[in-house]
Amino acid sequence: MKKLKLGILISGNGSNLQAIIDNIKANKLNAEIAIVISDNPDAYGLTRAKNANIKSIHINPGKYKTKLSDEAEQEYIKCLKNNKVDLICLAGFMRVLKTNLLNAFAGKIINIHPALLPSFPGLDAQKQAFDYGVQYTGCTVHFVDNKVDHGPIIKQAVVEVLQQDTYESLKEKILKQEHKIYSEAIQLIAENKIRINGRKTTII
Ligand code: GAR
C-alpha cells in the first residue's frame, strides 16, 4: 500500500508531531512525513523534526496574529504542493486557515482539537472545559472546513474530569489521548476507510 504523504503544520511544542513520528517508526502508521511547517521560528516541534531527520521549515506567517497573510498563504500552498503532500495535519497550528489553502487541499486537511466538539471550540479549550466544570471532556480529530473547529468528526476520545484534577493535570490527560487518536485517524485515512456524508463520517 502506498504511504500517505503528510504535511504537518505546527506552532509550538509539537508533541502531537512527535507521537506521529513515533507511530510511523513503530509501523502503526502507513505514512511518511514529507514536510513540517511552522509559523513560529522557535517552535520546539522544528527541533523534533530535525532530530528525526524530517524536512522542516519555518514560513513567516505575515502580519496577522490569527491567520496567514495572503502572501504567506501562497508560500504555504507552494511548499505543501512541492512536497507532494496528500494530507495536511494541523498539530497545534494556532492559525485559522483561509479559503485559498482550504480550496487547494479540499477534503485533505485535518485538525486535532483538545475538547469534545462542538463544545469549547477556539483557544484554550481545556481551560474553557475546566472552568465550565464539565465532568467529561476530551479531544476531537476532524476534517477542516471554512468554520473554526467545525468540519466532520473522524474520532473523539473522552477524558473524565476528576475532583482532584487541576487544569494542568487535565491538559496532560487530554494530550495523552490526542497522541493516540490523531495517529488512529490518520491511519484510517491512509487505509482509505473514511467516507464523508454531510456532517457524518463512516468507517468502511
Ligand atoms: C494540543 O493540545 C492541540 O490539541 C492544541 O494545541 C496543543 C498542541 O500541542 N491545538 C489547538 O488548540 C488548536 N486550536 P503540541 O504542540 O504538543 O502537539
Side-chain angles (χ1 to χ4, degrees):
M1 202 191 338
K2 185 182 162 283
K3 281 186 187 171
L4 197 66
K5 282 187 150 210
L6 309 178
I8 303 196
L9 269 54
I10 60 164
S11 298
N13 181 27
S15 72
N16 275 290
L17 164 67
Q18 187 68 55
I20 294 167
I21 293 171
D22 294 345
N23 283 325
I24 290 173
K25 272 199 191 129
N27 283 326
K28 289 184 191 160
L29 200 40
N30 188 36
E32 61 183 297
I33 302 175
I35 185 77
V36 172
I37 309 179
S38 174
D39 59 348
N40 164 17
D42 302 321
Y44 183 60
L46 286 172
T47 305
R48 294 182 189 271
K50 284 193 187 84
N51 289 343
N53 286 320
I54 290 165
K55 199 162 146 190
S56 63
I57 184 172
H58 161 245
I59 304 182
N60 192 320
K63 61 184 172 183
Y64 305 110
K65 277 216 153 63
T66 58
K67 60 180 182 180
L68 299 170
S69 70
D70 289 346
E71 301 75 34
E73 186 186 40
Q74 288 311 320
E75 286 295 308
Y76 276 71
I77 294 171
K78 203 165 84 185
C79 179
L80 291 159
K81 293 260 181 208
N82 284 346
N83 285 285
K84 300 190 167 41
V85 161
D86 300 312
L87 182 72
I88 299 174
C89 304
L90 308 182
F93 187 67
M94 303 313 268
R95 283 168 201 272
V96 175
L97 300 188
K98 301 198 297 185
T99 318
N100 285 330
L101 183 41
L102 291 175
N103 288 346
F105 290 90
K108 293 177 176 172
I109 311 178
I110 62 174
N111 180 44
I112 179 108
H113 182 76
L116 290 175
L117 291 173
S119 290
F120 311 119
L123 290 178
D124 263 330
Q126 307 96 324
K127 182 95 174 38
Q128 292 184 52
F130 186 72
D131 290 349
Y132 197 93
V134 295
Q135 296 184 353
Y136 295 91
T137 181
C139 47
T140 304
V141 182
H142 64 94
F143 285 101
V144 174
D145 66 7
N146 58 3
K147 294 189 194 137
V148 174
D149 299 328
H150 175 267
I153 290 169
I154 305 167
K155 251 187 179 278
Q156 294 189 302
V158 175
V159 169
E160 188 172 4
V161 186
L162 303 173
Q163 296 280 325
Q164 64 269 27
D165 269 319
T166 59
Y167 162 59
E168 284 75 22
S169 69
L170 180 62
K171 205 171 163 179
E172 199 55 43
K173 287 200 295 189
I174 294 171
L175 202 51
K176 209 169 160 196
Q177 293 304 313
E178 291 185 39
H179 297 163
K180 186 166 172 283
I181 66 167
Y182 211 3
S183 290
E184 288 172 357
I186 295 168
Q187 181 60 17
L188 286 173
I189 294 171
E191 291 173 358
N192 195 21
K193 280 192 176 159
I194 296 185
R195 298 292 175 270
I196 306 176
N197 186 2
R199 277 217 50 85
K200 293 188 184 147
T201 61
T202 43
I203 299 169
I204 57 159

